[in-house]
Amino acid sequence: MLPEIRLKEVTREDITRLINWLKDEDVSSSWFGRYTYGNPIHLGYHPEEMLTSSQKEWDNIFNDSNKRIFSIYTVSDEHIGEGKILIDETLGNAEIPVLIGRKDLWHQGYGTATVIALLDLAFNSYGLHRIWVDIPEYNEVAINMFSKLGFIHEGILRKSHPHEGKRFDSSIMGMLASEYSKRIGSMNQQKIDDHLETENKRI
């Protein structure tokens, strides 16, 4: 069974934990790596700046209808990561970066559960047409996870990710609303678990 997660509004305490997670090389590498000047890459906002931001600056980031940012919590109210729906309203598309910052919870289904929750919001609540992700080529675990969920490989961005002094390609993977309806949207929790277990056996 996939673990249950909750998507909550981001707090300053959440951002403090996020900053500490991104200091870990394993965590930042699984996310987007580091800028050429060394700091961890983070999409949507600069975490350090938000710690001392005014309420207006905070609202501009976290109340933006085209930039839905959530903290990921367990059912026991533990903060474990961050998920986003970064919307291009003109095209009806969105990118959904997901970070599980708690390394002790990696490979336990929290990332998959979060992606499914974000897809439900994106397609069923926001009415979007296409969802996509950008994954560094060295993050094979994430590529396999999105493949199992039904994301299609759409292309490669060449040498777009700096990592450990080198540059790596990234895979662009996407899912359409019609594919979601056939693949995940019509499944209940047990069917999702059974489907993912079957896909795991094929890899």
Side-chain angles (χ1 to χ4, degrees):
M1 292 287 290
L2 288 175
E4 291 187 51
I5 58 97
R6 301 286 184 267
L7 299 177
K8 295 188 173 185
E9 291 184 3
V10 178
T11 68
R12 294 183 197 267
E13 291 77 13
D14 293 342
I15 291 179
T16 298
R17 284 185 285 270
L18 177 70
I19 291 170
N20 288 330
W21 289 332
L22 288 173
K23 290 177 182 176
D24 186 299
E25 190 64 35
D26 291 337
V27 175
S28 64
S29 294
S30 74
W31 184 238
F32 283 97
R34 295 179 178 272
Y35 294 108
T36 52
Y37 53 82
N39 288 355
I41 295 172
H42 186 268
L43 300 181
Y45 66 94
H46 296 290
E48 291 83 359
E49 293 179 6
M50 298 314 299
L51 287 180
T52 56
S53 65
S54 66
Q55 189 60 49
K56 181 179 180 181
E57 291 169 330
W58 181 274
D59 290 342
N60 285 340
I61 294 294
F62 294 105
N63 290 333
D64 184 343
S65 61
N66 289 326
K67 192 188 302 179
R68 313 296 176 94
I69 304 172
F70 306 95
S71 286
I72 306 165
Y73 275 75
T74 66
V75 290
S76 56
D77 211 35
E78 294 179 274
H79 180 215
I80 64 169
E82 184 177 81
K84 305 184 183 80
I85 304 177
L86 305 177
I87 300 171
D88 183 336
E89 188 175 14
T90 312
L91 298 176
N93 294 344
E95 182 181 8
I96 55 165
V98 173
L99 172 69
I100 303 300
R102 284 273 303 274
K103 288 169 62 176
D104 59 312
L105 297 179
W106 284 7
H107 313 304
Q108 296 184 35
Y110 286 99
T112 301
T114 301
V115 171
I116 290 172
L118 293 174
L119 288 174
D120 179 61
L121 279 173
F123 289 128
N124 294 329
S125 296
Y126 305 156
L128 297 176
H129 172 69
R130 172 179 166 270
I131 298 302
W132 63 279
V133 290
D134 175 352
I135 309 172
E137 64 177 323
Y138 53 79
N139 193 344
E140 295 180 3
V141 171
I143 291 172
N144 287 337
M145 179 190 74
F146 282 102
S147 294
K148 283 181 270 184
L149 284 170
F151 278 70
I152 304 300
H153 178 78
E154 297 180 341
I156 289 182
L157 296 178
R158 296 181 299 161
K159 308 303 179 188
S160 62
H161 281 276
H163 176 60
E164 295 182 344
K166 300 178 183 178
R167 297 195 70 89
F168 293 83
D169 295 345
S170 63
S171 293
I172 302 300
M173 305 178 72
M175 176 181 282
L176 305 179
S178 58
E179 295 165 341
Y180 169 81
S181 298
K182 293 176 183 177
R183 184 92 173 191
I184 297 174
S186 61
M187 292 184 181
N188 60 28
Q189 181 64 57
Q190 186 59 53
K191 285 182 179 178
I192 290 172
D193 291 330
D194 292 345
H195 172 73
L196 291 173
E197 182 179 351
T198 301
E199 289 296 318
N200 274 323
K201 291 177 180 176
R202 291 175 182 168
I203 292 178

